[in-house]
Amino acid sequence: MENFLYTLIIPVILFFSFIFTGLSGNKFKPAVSGIICTATVFISAALSYWTAYQYFFLHGKVNGVYQIINVYKIEWLKFNETLSIDIGILLDPISVMMMVVITTVSLMVHIYSIGYMKGDSGYSRYFAFLSLFTFAMLGLVLSVNIFMTYMFWELVGISSYLLIGHYYNKPSAVSASKKAFIVTRFADLGFLIGILLLSAFAGTFDFNELTNPNGNAILQSASTTFMGLSAISWALILIFIGCAGKSAMFPLHIWLPDAMEGPTPVSALIHAATMVVAGVYLIARLFPLYVFTSPVALEVVAHVGAFTSLFAAIIACTQTDIKRVLAFSTISQIGYMMVSLGVSGYGAEEGLGYMASMFHLFTHAFFKALLFLGAGSIIHAIHTNEIYSMGNLRKYMPLTHITFLTACLAIAGIPPLSGFFSKDEMLVAVMEKNIFLFAVQYVVAGITAFYMFRLYFTVFWNKDKKYEHVPHESPNVMLITLIFLAVCSALAGLIPFSQFVSSNGVPFSTHIHMNIAIPVVGIALAGILLAYALYKKESLSPEKIKNSLGVFYRSAYRKFYIDEIYIFVTKKIIFNLISVPVAWFDRHVVDNTMNGIAYTTNFVSEKIKYMQSGQLQQYAFIMVAGMILIFLLTLYLIIV
Amino acid sequence: MNNILSILIFLPLLLSIPILFFRKESETLIKSYAFIVSLIPLSIAAYLFFAFNPANPEYQFVEKFQWISISNTFYFLGIDGISMLLILMSAFIFPLSILASWTSIKKNIKQFYFLILLLDAGLIGVFSSLDLILFYIFWEFILIPMYFMIGFWGAEDRIYASVKFFLYTMFGSLLMLIGIIWLGFQCQPLLGQFTTDLTLLTRASYALDLNIQIYLFILFTLSFLIKVPLFPFHTWLPDAHVQAPTAGSVILAAVLLKMGTYGLLRFSLPLFPSAFVELTPYIATLAVIGIVYGALLSIVQKDIKKLVAYSSVSHLGFIVLGTFALTDVALQGSIIQMINHGLSTGALFMIVGVLYERRHTKKIADFGGIMKVMPVFSVIFMIVLFSSVGLPGLNGFVGEFLILLGSFYSSNLGTNAYSIVSTTAVILAAVYLLWMFQRVMLGPIEKEENKNLPDLTKRELFSFLPIIVFIVWIGVHPNTFLSKTETSVKKIIENFNASQKNFGKGNPEFKDLTNNK
């Protein structure tokens, strides 16, 4: 632990650059903010690499097992003697791995943005928020307890909100940012109740205690049941709802495609590589709890993941906005990771799915960030997102083309690029546990290759489209990052990942399973060939196929009307059928009742005020009448 | 300084009188004078904050003199952690609301600032009284300046709103007065004397017959719940807020409403513990209804101020729920949430005031794209907004989370359903506040009038900054404040447990309770 004290600098330095740029960014030339923020991220990244080196090769292992190291742990909120919340830094294989991914992609996005955002009026604001996001994301992965995770989870959501809404003059961007925030916050409600339940039954927030296979949390928590499931299962399913919101699983995925309204580098960082995989990360973080106390919750994870991956892949085939295709592809790939986690067991070899899921998270971060940054480069050149307004761009943007192709091949799972290795491990893990899910994932692998190459051929081949001006290659500062990420996407698969990450910390070795690898590459190649035939050769007409698919195509194009359902529920039901009548009720029933009481009082006193006439005779009369009345009453009482 | 609390109350009261002799024309002098005077209680309250010993569960800075001997009524002041924080917050809000009314109050300036200082004194009196009659006097005293503030300096419908405000709260407080007298008589045989001393009454009243406790509890609590206000007694609040001038709304939201929640903690709970338990399901249900109901109503409001007012109903429901959960975590949450709500809703009303002063409208539809012309203002607005939404790292989250957690476990509530239903307000808050922010601040500027709005002046900025500091402070390091109330909360719960143990065993055994000293 003493070896890692400096890790505090990694997130905190970013917070300071956020504060500094946010407060005084406007006082300098815009470029200064860009450089300051990029430099801080660079320091963070360098320190992360050093941490990774130290952790994986020098100090992380004890007796051949990777340890969970709490570098810092400071009491933050004390409730009572038994319950308190700490903040601190936790290092274990996955948090170190995530730290490397986050700082690397963030660094690339920072560098890229220097070119991409040039001339933007909110330049320093943009960089300040990027720093804030990176800080929050690092805080999330380094959390020592689930409460701290939740705090940073929300902070990440806010930075995402702020960045999606960067172009705040544009109504669509503003709506998208609000939608993203509210949908994920809705999901976080599940997360919050899950935390409350978890703390009620496990009695702790701390990850060390929660995930210790021999700890109290796991051993004791299965006792209480509610509606046929143990309380802990409910808690874990609720936490998964939070994860599903952040990671855009069906049916909470609707915010992610809209989030593409944000600047493209933001999509690359937040909505492809880092924030959206936070859900996968959190389940991995709580994995022992899932495995030992609630196989049901894991089943839910696996099936939701599988459905989402298929669902999103189908939609991706029909979209025509380059960023939306990539967004649905992201949803689909995260679904993959969820499936793999969901079928995994605990242990070294038994935990293959866990390892593969993290491995795919790792490789996906690089090639998906690359795809987005490549898309950004294209958008930067021709100022449109529509893929049918693009064509033959390989002529004008050779470097973008090559790097984009690398990423396409990587995501399609063509050896020896990174996607091949991670996908192979995932499918092996799924195959062993559940043949049905394997079949789904197998088909999705083919569709993935198809839609990626549909995109690729449409954008980079075929004839020139009418461009306003001749497209040009992007500035070097952007190209550097594309090249760097292309190298990563190509080579990341060669890392012997299982030597570093496993569900119980014990390293193990894996090999390529030819019986899976060959058919998977086969179906990927088939997908590529189909895309080639449809969109490059045009020997088959895409239009005809569209028409023959009819309703199915149209509903896929409209994203299966999920957005419409949401709008119906929120606008029609919550707004018109609940809130408006409630407002009416408040004004007319509650308020009028109270006013009615006041008016009645008023009315009565209006009527009786004539009794106070000031006429002595009247008073005397009333007095005498009263006396007689009392007399009669007394008489009556005596007689009866 | 044995009489520091008296100084705290009466110094602003005395110093408010010279205002009446200032020349009407010397407006800046009046304003500056009021501002400086309002800083005096703030500095004394800050001193109290540091001088207060959080480890001591007893009332501190106590002053006690026989006042009305026939009824054993005392001039009895003293504070614990809870009242100390609330006093600090009231003293903190006043200078800021004076700054907020600097240019917006144009007529009868003398009277306005005179009334503000009266309010300042009265509120501190409410939070430090330990005798029921004294408390009642301060409680009623508040009503008058507030009534005039809404009625004189308010918007078009000010008369309706001020009368409504007055009648509602007056109705409640009269019931409380009956309650105080009846309670005195009920406890007379147990104590051997009639008294209105809170600490004495607490030792006897818990042993009263359950039915009598319930009646008394209702008499007291109803007036607190109207003040909070809890559904269905809340309808005076939107009207009062919409009509009140900015300073009025700020003070109303930040401090006046807390008199209700404070009353629950200081009087309803310790005096009538068994009735408190008995009626918990009903009041907790009303609180949860209020939480969701207020949030739903906020969504459809077309007027920013009304939206904020209804969101108050929702937020205060949380505080009441936390109080009735009766766990240390939830009570701590309730107290910190009183402060939080004061800060964030106070700031939201100041924000509405800033917009109103520039555009003379509070309709959401009249704005749009303001961020472009008022960048500094929008940063402030956003931070306050997120504080109200309950974003981690800012104050609102701490309170909300503590209340939800504390009521989740609560054995007094008996079920975690209350807590779970309340969480929906967390998401609804995001819906109505972000949607409002979107319509007011974001998007393109469509109205010609909005194109040249000036950004915050130095004075306005200065009035927001202290609030922002505390919003972040409580969010990042809540222990500064939580540690002050920890012992007081423990004492409340210990006394409650002791009273439950002794309840129904004939005459009260004073020893059990007094030994806690």
Side-chain angles (χ1 to χ4, degrees), chain B residues 219-489:
Chain B
L219 288 176
F220 273 80
T221 309
L222 198 60
S223 68
F224 298 142
L225 293 184
I226 289 174
K227 201 79 165 189
V228 168
L230 196 71
F231 173 87
F233 314 112
H234 64 279
T235 56
W236 64 268
L237 185 78
D239 287 321
H241 269 313
V242 170
Q243 302 304 328
T246 300
S249 292
V250 172
I251 295 168
L252 191 63
V255 204
L256 246 69
L257 306 185
K258 308 304 164 339
M259 289 161 62
T261 47
Y262 171 77
L264 291 175
L265 261 178
R266 175 67 74 237
F267 301 98
S268 300
L269 169 60
L271 283 172
F272 319 109
S274 302
F276 191 90
V277 173
E278 201 68 19
L279 293 178
T280 291
Y282 306 102
I283 297 177
T285 308
L286 288 182
V288 172
I289 291 176
I291 291 171
V292 180
Y293 184 86
L296 285 172
L297 278 169
S298 298
I299 296 179
V300 293
Q301 297 307 317
K302 296 186 174 72
D303 179 304
I304 312 176
K305 230 175 169 183
K306 233 177 192 163
L307 187 149
V308 179
Y310 277 114
S311 81
S312 276
V313 174
S314 178
H315 283 124
L316 283 149
F318 268 104
I319 301 176
V320 175
L321 180 67
T323 308
F324 280 81
L326 207 59
T327 55
D328 47 0
V329 176
L331 285 184
Q332 286 271 48
S334 281
I335 296 160
I336 203 83
Q337 191 68 357
M338 290 186 209
I339 308 294
N340 292 338
H341 176 263
L343 294 173
S344 12
T345 310
L348 277 175
F349 280 120
M350 281 161 65
I351 281 165
V352 181
V354 167
L355 288 171
Y356 185 76
E357 224 182 299
R358 282 165 176 66
R359 286 280 281 108
H360 296 284
T361 172
K362 290 171 296 203
K363 288 256 173 312
I364 293 175
D366 290 336
F367 296 96
I370 306 293
M371 191 165 185
K372 196 156 190 69
V373 284
M374 302 175 70
V376 178
F377 173 68
S378 43
V379 173
I380 304 268
F381 195 171
M382 204 173 244
I383 296 174
V384 172
L385 188 85
F386 284 135
S387 140
S388 197
V389 168
L391 178 78
L394 300 178
N395 60 348
F397 172 72
V398 179
E400 246 168 44
F401 187 80
L402 290 181
I403 292 173
L404 289 175
L405 184 72
S407 40
F408 204 83
Y409 300 122
S410 160
S411 57
N412 191 40
L413 291 174
T415 159
N416 45 32
Y418 295 110
S419 189
I420 290 176
V421 176
S422 311
T423 52
T424 52
V426 175
I427 161 89
L428 290 175
V431 173
Y432 59 75
L433 284 170
L434 288 186
W435 194 34
M436 183 265 277
F437 190 75
Q438 172 186 350
R439 287 175 293 167
V440 173
M441 300 301 289
L442 306 177
I445 301 187
E446 274 159 2
K447 299 242 170 6
E448 197 56 42
E449 305 91 305
N450 292 334
K451 287 205 171 128
N452 293 310
L453 296 183
D455 206 343
L456 293 183
T457 63
K458 285 229 166 62
R459 170 186 54 81
E460 286 168 328
L461 183 62
F462 183 75
S463 67
F464 282 113
L465 284 182
I467 298 189
I468 302 291
V469 168
F470 279 98
I471 282 179
V472 176
W473 187 348
I474 299 179
V476 175
H477 197 263
N479 263 358
T480 324
F481 302 91
L482 290 175
S483 62
K484 298 279 179 189
T485 55
E486 201 180 338
T487 323
S488 309
V489 164

Side-chain angles (χ1 to χ4, degrees), chain B residues 20-36:
Chain B
L20 298 173
F21 300 102
F22 284 168
R23 283 185 39 213
K24 212 168 102 191
E25 291 74 33
S26 43
E27 298 185 351
T28 320
L29 179 68
I30 297 173
K31 291 187 276 198
S32 321
Y33 177 80
F35 180 69
I36 290 166

Side-chain angles (χ1 to χ4, degrees), chain B residues 196-210:
Chain B
T196 55
D197 176 339
L198 176 68
T199 48
L200 278 176
L201 287 170
T202 317
R203 294 183 204 161
S205 62
Y206 75 88
L208 293 175
D209 186 51
L210 183 61

Side-chain angles (χ1 to χ4, degrees), chain A residues 108 111-116 370 373-374 376-378 380-381 396-404 472-487:
Chain A
M108 289 305 123
I111 296 174
Y112 183 92
S113 302
I114 293 177
Y116 188 85
L370 175 55
L373 293 185
S377 170
I378 295 165
H380 192 68
Y396 306 105
M397 314 176 74
L399 262 170
T400 307
H401 166 237
I402 293 295
T403 50
F404 202 88
H472 53 88
E473 187 59 286
S474 298
N476 287 337
V477 69
M478 287 160 71
L479 293 178
I480 293 169
T481 60
L482 294 182
I483 294 167
F484 179 85
L485 285 172
V487 173

Side-chain angles (χ1 to χ4, degrees), chain A residues 437-450:
Chain A
L437 292 180
F438 174 78
V440 174
Q441 296 309 78
Y442 183 70
V443 173
V444 174
I447 304 178
T448 308
F450 170 74

Side-chain angles (χ1 to χ4, degrees), chain A residues 84-237:
Chain A
S84 66
I85 289 176
D86 303 321
I87 48 176
I89 287 182
L90 176 147
L91 297 182
D92 74 342
I94 55 173
S95 72
V96 174
M97 183 273 287
M98 282 300 280
M99 197 159 79
V100 169
V101 169
I102 293 162
T103 51
T104 308
V105 178
S106 180
L107 178 62
M108 289 305 123
V109 165
H110 272 81
I111 296 174
Y112 183 92
S113 302
I114 293 177
Y116 188 85
M117 299 301 284
K118 202 167 192 173
D120 191 283
S121 61
Y123 193 84
S124 27
R125 175 166 50 95
Y126 171 85
F127 274 99
F129 289 156
L130 272 190
S131 283
L132 174 68
F133 170 78
T134 315
F135 160 72
M137 193 64 212
L138 286 169
L140 195 162
V141 298
L142 295 174
S143 303
V144 289
N145 58 46
I146 195 163
F147 180 87
M148 185 179 159
T149 309
Y150 181 75
M151 295 206 4
F152 281 100
W153 185 272
E154 293 289 318
L155 200 57
V156 166
I158 285 291
S159 6
S160 156
Y161 166 81
L162 294 168
L163 283 165
I164 297 170
H166 177 76
Y167 303 117
Y168 63 83
N169 289 331
K170 205 170 142 200
S172 60
V174 172
S175 307
S177 64
K178 188 189 62 182
K179 183 173 179 181
F181 187 78
I182 290 175
V183 172
T184 47
R185 188 137 175 120
F186 175 71
D188 293 345
L189 216 61
F191 190 5
L192 182 62
I193 301 174
I195 295 177
L196 295 175
L197 264 172
L198 203 60
S199 66
F201 291 103
T204 175
F205 294 105
D206 197 280
F207 283 136
N208 291 352
E209 293 167 43
L210 281 175
T211 58
N212 180 357
N214 305 314
N216 282 337
I218 286 180
L219 296 179
Q220 295 178 351
S221 51
S223 49
T224 335
T225 55
F226 175 68
M227 289 191 7
L229 277 181
S230 65
I232 203 91
S233 285
W234 282 109
L236 292 176
I237 289 172

